[in-house]
Amino acid sequence: MDVRIGNGYDIHRLGRDRRLILGGVCIEHELGLVGHSDADVLTHAIMDAMLGALSLGDIGHYFPPTDPQWEGADSLKLLTQVHRLVRDRGWRVINIDSTVVAERPKLKPHIEAMKRALGAALSIERDRIGVKATTNEGLGPTGREEGIAAYAVVLLAKG
Ligand code: MG
């Protein structure tokens, strides 16, 4: 079986008057993520992992932050576009694993909804998507609640 692995990383700043969207789920919090699109850091990390697996560059290449058409974009829609690139080349997602690094809010109550949203966007079963959440123990920019980061790994198979 021909398989490929990719990894992705992203971080966005937290700021006022922004929505907090992670894995396509809008989460109640006094701060949201700042970015050109909806700044869904988890979905961005997954997209980069998928692109990386096939050596297709990164999301900045396909959805440049200088392009007004991506302003406020729903990242799940961008994920669907990246998935189409993958499918068009004859690859499918075996599984995804990911970690969100956020000091607050508690993400555990939202994990299942994220898996559901991501699974629906990719048309894959929820048990093929790992979403984990951790704090950074108060250390660094994520620990100081200056931002939220996400890591993702994706395994693809041909056919
Ligand atoms: Mg991003």
Side-chain angles (χ1 to χ4, degrees):
M1 184 168 60
D2 200 359
V3 296
R4 300 278 176 84
I5 192 167
N7 87 92
Y9 166 79
D10 197 18
I11 187 167
H12 280 262
R13 285 181 187 277
L14 282 161
R16 305 237 164 239
D17 303 319
R18 290 283 300 187
R19 295 195 302 163
L20 176 59
I21 297 174
L22 292 170
V25 176
C26 190
I27 295 166
E28 191 72 35
H29 192 47
E30 73 264 27
L31 299 172
L33 291 172
V34 179
H36 187 62
S37 67
D38 64 4
D40 183 340
V41 70
L42 171 57
T43 301
H44 292 182
I46 291 170
M47 289 161 66
D48 257 354
M50 291 172 77
L51 291 169
L54 296 182
S55 189
L56 291 174
D58 58 43
I59 58 173
H61 172 75
Y62 296 91
F63 312 106
T66 47
D67 189 335
Q69 74 169 301
W70 309 123
E71 192 175 342
D74 175 351
S75 292
L76 284 187
K77 293 215 171 82
L78 308 185
L79 175 66
T80 305
Q81 290 190 42
V82 166
H83 189 224
R84 195 173 303 132
L85 289 179
V86 168
R87 296 292 300 160
D88 285 351
R89 282 165 177 77
W91 295 84
R92 65 191 161 85
V93 175
I94 297 289
N95 77 305
I96 296 168
D97 190 24
S98 63
T99 303
V100 181
V101 185
E103 211 64 24
R104 281 188 320 128
K106 280 275 167 254
L107 298 180
K108 198 176 169 202
H110 307 286
I111 297 283
E112 279 308 313
M114 292 182 211
K115 289 187 192 180
R116 204 158 45 235
L118 291 164
L122 295 169
S123 303
I124 60 174
E125 303 92 334
R126 255 182 295 167
D127 68 358
R128 292 180 183 271
I129 305 171
V131 178
K132 308 183 298 301
T134 185
T135 71
N136 219 30
E137 296 284 331
L139 298 167
T142 50
R144 289 190 296 268
E145 298 182 43
E146 292 166 8
I148 290 179
Y151 300 84
V153 177
V154 173
L155 188 68
L156 304 178
K158 193 97 187 187

